[in-house]
């Protein structure tokens, strides 16, 4: 055991490098599994941290075992299998195991030569337990007798180095070396034998090897003394050399050995046998004991063993022997097809792999030699791959073009390997490669754009339309998710896949809302509620086709559902007025006559063009008069009011005349005092025009359909009309309506000293008071009349003329004549009141 430890220490220190980057290690046989042979990463200058990523591994040639392995963490080369030098190499002087270190990314091959050193682990042994010898008593002193050799599986110094024999009086030992350097022993006769004194004797022969400590083996030599036998057999050749093709048929004669013996009779009969031949060799060759013919007994394979060394013994009848060697050289024939081995395969390969990407490593092996072992490889199909020779017997399988999984998702590649033997042998290997999907295709819509029509007022959740997008990618890369974003977002994602990163595409979906006739016409002028008393003044001198008023209406619907038509459905005098079916303008059909009733009431219906049609109605009150004072209702107003109050006070007086008389007098005085506080003026400042008369979101613009801006109007107000409505009742074209939209004051017919704002309700929404707008024309001025007690009543413009202008501040300036008219009316009412009491 001490000897083995010494060789282990010595051998590991021996590391040899070649100029080509290969490395060789010398180490003793029989090392334990896991024992470190050397640090191959350090010896080859490899980065230990990249061994795993480069898939470092140990490969072997052919079908031989892998006797070593690499530790990817440390880079150490370790023993993987039991290494028995005698079992691997027999009697060969040098035992070398060739291994290969393969690295990928990039592909790299390093050859490793493992020189297995012999250790003294075998004892010398003899083929037999007893060596039988027959020596004639006539043998002379000094005669030599060859002994059977001892066999030691070890080589070199560990093989048999010496022999020794038991001390005796007849023989001494002589050790010799043959042409192969092998030790053999002879016994030399020291004293003549006498058969009558001793018929036989036994000697102990010991064979000793050169190991430290040495090992030995013994055998007994049994010597039988005969009467006469002087000659040993002699071979015709000391060494027989023959060449034998591998795979030769059984019973093929390899060689015939021949030995002769000069003796006659039984002593001259020679027999042959193997001496110290490996048991494996005995299974392949047969030796005829009588003829010396060596023939094939089993299959002979060049790839397993190229040379056989057979030791032959020739023995005569008396036991004398001689030796000869038969060396059989096996010649190679092309009997091995190439072998394709896939050492590495990156499958699946991403479809975006660049041309030239290595996807696999192919190793080609042919156990034949010379030309029989030269191999060419090729790919049979027209595929985007090729084989690139890399290093000895290695090919890289690389891409030659772009891959597209959507066009072809996998490839079956057939690689053919053909050697250069005669005839050539070939083999094929099928490789299945799968192309991995990459999210390289955005979803694609079936249409470039989508149009959908939806009826308004549909139920929530109703289906509008269906969009469809497809993605040819695989699994989650081809799963399409839809989202809807507002159209004002640039690059909005509508269809998106689930790849990483996700890809998306957009499509425009135009949704057209189909109008439904669900809105009735809205009458802007006159007020459709019917809770305000609005009267239009028509001059008695109005001629046929004169514009009297205009009905203004809008419809929130669109298209034909918003086409409006105007109809007079009821009139005091059906033949007096007509209305434009599309404009809503009310005009006289004929000249006004004296016989026409002063009060004219019109009911106007506004209808849309929907199916079914919706409508709205409004009432217009027209007074055919040139002066408000001509109206009988206004003349009798003061008397009716006084009579009503008188009745009220009479009832009170009947209940308690004495109690409430004084209170009644005070009230009467207070009322008269308030009336006379501003005897002829209703407002000292401006009266805001009620905004209710202006329809929402309309401006007075020419052609907008409101009162036309080219008319000016006189505005008449009555006593107490601060909060009442007013109307334009008479138009004229003597002045203009300026941009500030106000009524300039005129000396005659103005009731107050300040300005009265024009009510905005008379202007429809989004309409401006501009010439041609379809409303009351801005070039008309109007007199405003108010009646007694009209603080909370509506007021109207009842007479128009063109002697002044309506300014932009929308106010009515006062005139002295209007103040005088009010004073006269007030005086009449006061006189009537006094007469009552």
């Amino acid at each position: 055991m001490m000897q083995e430890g010494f060789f282990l220490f010595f051998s590991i220190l021996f590391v040899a490098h070649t100029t080509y980057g290969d490395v060789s290690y010398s180490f003793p046989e029989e090392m334990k599994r896991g024992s470190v042979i050397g640090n191959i990463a350090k010896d080859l200058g490899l980065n230990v941290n990249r061994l795993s990523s480069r898939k470092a591994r140990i490969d072997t040639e052919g079908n031989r075992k892998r006797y070593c392995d690499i530790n990817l963490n440390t880079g150490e080369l370790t023993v993987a299998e039991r290494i028995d030098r005698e079992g691997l190499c027999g009697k060969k002087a040098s035992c070398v195991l060739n291994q290969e270190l393969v690295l990928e990314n990039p592909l790299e091959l390093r050859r490793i030569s493992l020189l297995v050193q012999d250790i003294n682990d075998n004892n010398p042994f003899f083929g037999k337990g007893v060596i039988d010898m027959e020596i004639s008593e006539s043998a002379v002193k000094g005669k030599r007798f060859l002994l059977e050799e001892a066999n030691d599986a070890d080589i070199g110094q560990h093989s048999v180095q010496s022999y020794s024999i038991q001390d005796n009086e007849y023989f001494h030992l002589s050790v010799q070396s043959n042409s192969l350097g092998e030790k053999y022993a002879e016994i030399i006769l020291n004293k003549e034998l006498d058969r009558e004194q001793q018929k036989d004797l036994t000697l102990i022969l010991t064979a000793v090897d050169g190991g430290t400590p040495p090992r030995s083996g013994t055998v007994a030599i049994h010597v039988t003394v005969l009467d006469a036998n002087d000659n040993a057999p002699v071979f015709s050749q000391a060494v027989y050399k023959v060449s034998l093709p591998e795979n030769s048929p059984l019973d093929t004669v390899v060689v015939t050995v021949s030995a002769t013996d000069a003796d006659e009779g039984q002593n001259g009969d020679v027999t042959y046998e193997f001496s110290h031949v490996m048991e494996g060799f005995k299974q392949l060759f047969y030796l005829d004991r009588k003829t010396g013919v060596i023939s094939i007994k089993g299959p002979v394979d060049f790839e397993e063993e190229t040379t056989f060394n057979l030791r032959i013994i020739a023995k005569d009848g008396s036991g004398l022997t001689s030796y000869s060697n038969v060396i059989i050289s096996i010649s190679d024939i092309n009997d091995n097809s190439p072998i394709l081995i896939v050492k590495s395969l990156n499958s699946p390969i991403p479809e975006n792999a660049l041309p030239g990407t290595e996807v696999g490593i192919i190793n080609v092996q042919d156990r034949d030699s010379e030309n029989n072992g030269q191999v060419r490889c090729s790919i049979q199909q027209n595929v985007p791959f090729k084989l690139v020779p890399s290093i000895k017997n290695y090919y890289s399988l690389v891409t030659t073009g772009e891959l597209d999984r959507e066009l072809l998702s996998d490839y079956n590649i057939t690689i053919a390997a053909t050697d250069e033997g005669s005839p050539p042998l070939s083999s094929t290997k099928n490789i299945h490669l799968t192309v991995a999907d990459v999210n390289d295709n955005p979803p694609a819509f079936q249409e470039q754009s989508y149009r959908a029509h939806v009826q308004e007022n549909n139920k929530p959740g109703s289906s509008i339309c269906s969009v469809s997008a497809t993605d040819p990618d695989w699994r989650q890369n081809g799963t399409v998710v839809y989202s809807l974003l507002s159209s004002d977002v640039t690059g909005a994602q509508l269809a998106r896949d689930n790849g990483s990163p996700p890809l998306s595409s957009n499509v425009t979906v135009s949704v057209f809302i189909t109008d439904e006739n669900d809105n009735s016409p809205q009458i802007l002028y006159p007020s459709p509620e019917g809770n305000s008393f609005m009267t239009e003044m028509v001059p008695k001198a109005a001629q046929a086709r004169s514009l009297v008023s205009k009905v203004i209406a809008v419809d929130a619907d669109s298209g034909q559902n918003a086409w409006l038509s105007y109809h007079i459905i009821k009139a005091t005098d059906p033949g007096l007025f007509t209305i434009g079916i599309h404009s809503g303008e009310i005009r006289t059909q004929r000249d006004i006559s004296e016989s026409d009733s002063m009060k004219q009431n019109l009911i106007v219906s506004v209808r849309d063009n929907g199916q079914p049609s919706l409508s709205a109605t409004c009432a217009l009150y027209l007074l055919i008069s040139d002066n408000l004072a001509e109206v009988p209702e206004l003349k009798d107003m003061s008397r009716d009011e006084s009579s009503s109050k008188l009745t009220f006070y009479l009832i009170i007086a009947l209940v308690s005349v004495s109690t409430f008389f004084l209170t009644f007098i005070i009230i009467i005085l207070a009322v008269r005092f308030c009336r006379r506080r501003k005897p002829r003026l209703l407002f000292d400042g401006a009266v805001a025009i009620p905004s209710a008369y202006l329809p929402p979101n309309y401006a007075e613009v020419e052609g907008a359909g409101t009162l036309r801006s080219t008319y000016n109007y006189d505005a008449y107000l009555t006593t107490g009309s601060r909060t009442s409505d007013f109307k334009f009742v008479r138009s004229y074209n003597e002045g203009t309506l300026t941009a500030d939209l106000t009524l300039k004051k005129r000396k005659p017919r103005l009731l107050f000293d300040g300005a009265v704002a024009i009510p905005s309700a008379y202007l429809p929404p989004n309409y401006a008071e501009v010439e041609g707008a379809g409303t009351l024309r801005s070039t008309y001025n109007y007199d405003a009349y108010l009646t007694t007690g009209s603080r909370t009543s509506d007021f109207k413009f009842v007479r128009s003329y063109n002697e002044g202008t309506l300014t932009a501040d929308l106010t009515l300036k006062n005139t002295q004549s209007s103040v005088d008219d009010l004073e006269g009316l007030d005086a009449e009412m006061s006189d009537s009141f006094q007469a009552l009491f």
Side-chain angles (χ1 to χ4, degrees), residues 521-532 534 549-553 566-571 579 584 586 601-607 615-621:
Q522 180 184 359
I523 298 176
L524 304 178
Y525 182 84
S527 177
E529 290 81 2
N531 57 4
S532 62
M534 301 182 65
S549 184
K550 181 175 183 178
V551 177
I552 302 171
Y566 300 85
H567 309 274
I568 297 177
I569 60 177
K570 186 177 181 181
I579 189 169
I586 299 176
N601 297 331
L602 301 179
I603 305 300
V604 178
S605 173
V606 182
R607 301 172 189 165
S615 64
T617 60
C618 65
L620 281 86
Y621 304 98

Side-chain angles (χ1 to χ4, degrees), residues 264-276:
E264 296 180 355
Q266 184 180 357
N267 293 334
D269 293 338
V270 178
T271 60
Y272 305 93
E273 60 184 49
F274 288 121
S275 173
H276 307 303

Side-chain angles (χ1 to χ4, degrees), residues 61-369:
E61 293 183 357
N63 297 324
R64 297 182 178 90
K65 282 186 177 180
R66 182 168 51 88
Y67 291 99
C68 60
D69 206 347
I70 184 172
N71 188 323
L72 298 180
N73 296 323
T74 62
E76 294 175 335
L77 192 67
T78 59
V79 176
E81 292 288 341
R82 175 177 176 263
I83 300 176
D84 180 16
R85 196 206 68 83
E86 290 76 32
L88 294 172
C89 302
K91 282 293 186 177
K92 291 180 181 179
S94 177
C95 184
V96 179
L97 302 178
N98 292 320
Q99 309 276 282
E100 294 175 344
L101 174 65
V102 180
L103 301 103
E104 299 182 16
N105 302 319
L107 179 63
E108 186 177 354
L109 180 68
R110 299 294 182 92
R111 187 177 297 277
I112 305 172
S113 297
L114 302 178
L115 178 61
V116 183
Q117 295 179 349
D118 181 51
I119 64 173
N120 193 24
D121 58 343
N122 293 283
N123 294 327
F125 69 95
F126 292 89
K128 299 178 180 179
V130 177
I131 298 176
D132 292 322
M133 296 185 67
E134 294 178 350
I135 301 176
S136 174
E137 63 180 346
S138 62
V140 298
K141 182 181 179 181
K143 187 174 177 64
R144 292 175 176 268
F145 299 94
L146 182 64
L147 298 177
E148 184 176 342
E149 297 173 343
N151 185 37
D152 193 327
D154 296 324
I155 62 171
Q157 284 297 114
H158 297 152
S159 63
V160 176
Q161 298 296 317
S162 64
Y163 291 90
S164 64
I165 194 171
Q166 179 186 354
D167 291 339
N168 63 90
E169 60 179 322
Y170 293 103
F171 298 97
H172 72 273
L173 188 67
S174 174
V175 179
Q176 303 294 327
S177 298
N178 60 22
S179 60
L180 301 177
E182 298 174 339
K183 302 290 184 180
Y184 65 94
E186 295 176 332
I187 55 175
I188 302 175
L189 185 62
N190 290 329
K191 181 182 176 180
E192 294 180 352
L193 298 175
D194 187 351
R195 188 176 184 279
E196 285 73 21
Q197 292 182 359
Q198 190 173 0
K199 293 183 180 180
D200 56 24
L201 60 102
T202 300
L203 304 174
I204 302 299
L205 178 65
T206 302
V208 182
D209 63 22
T212 305
R215 292 176 178 267
S216 62
T218 61
V219 68
I221 302 175
H222 183 259
V223 179
T224 302
V225 181
L226 300 177
D227 287 337
N229 185 17
D230 297 331
N231 300 292
V234 178
F235 278 98
S236 61
Q237 296 180 171
V239 177
Y240 294 87
K241 294 182 178 181
V242 294
S243 177
L244 178 68
E246 66 171 328
N247 301 330
S248 295
L250 298 180
D251 299 328
T252 298
V253 175
V254 179
V255 67
T256 300
V257 296
S258 177
T260 59
D261 194 317
D263 296 328
E264 296 180 355
Q266 184 180 357
N267 293 334
D269 293 338
V270 178
T271 60
Y272 305 93
E273 60 184 49
F274 288 121
S275 173
H276 307 303
V277 175
M278 296 179 62
E279 288 298 324
F281 292 177
K282 291 180 181 180
Q283 301 299 322
L284 300 178
F285 299 100
Y286 171 75
L287 174 61
D288 191 305
R289 288 177 56 85
K290 295 294 185 181
T291 63
V293 175
I294 299 176
S295 61
I296 296 177
K297 182 181 179 180
V300 179
D301 190 354
F302 172 86
E303 288 72 38
E304 294 293 335
E305 195 71 41
T306 60
T307 303
F308 295 94
N309 191 350
L310 305 179
R311 184 76 163 163
I312 308 297
I313 298 177
K315 183 184 291 187
D316 63 14
S318 61
L320 297 179
T321 61
S322 63
Y323 294 92
S324 178
N325 289 317
V326 177
I327 299 176
I328 303 174
S329 298
I330 307 300
S331 61
D332 182 46
I333 64 173
N334 191 27
D335 61 339
N336 291 280
S337 298
I339 300 174
L340 290 164
I341 303 173
V342 179
K343 294 293 185 180
S344 176
L345 187 64
N346 298 325
S347 181
I349 177 175
E351 61 177 322
N352 61 349
L354 297 176
T357 300
E358 183 180 81
V359 298
I361 298 174
I362 311 298
N363 178 234
V364 183
Q365 299 179 3
D366 194 321
R367 299 181 64 189
D368 295 323
S369 62

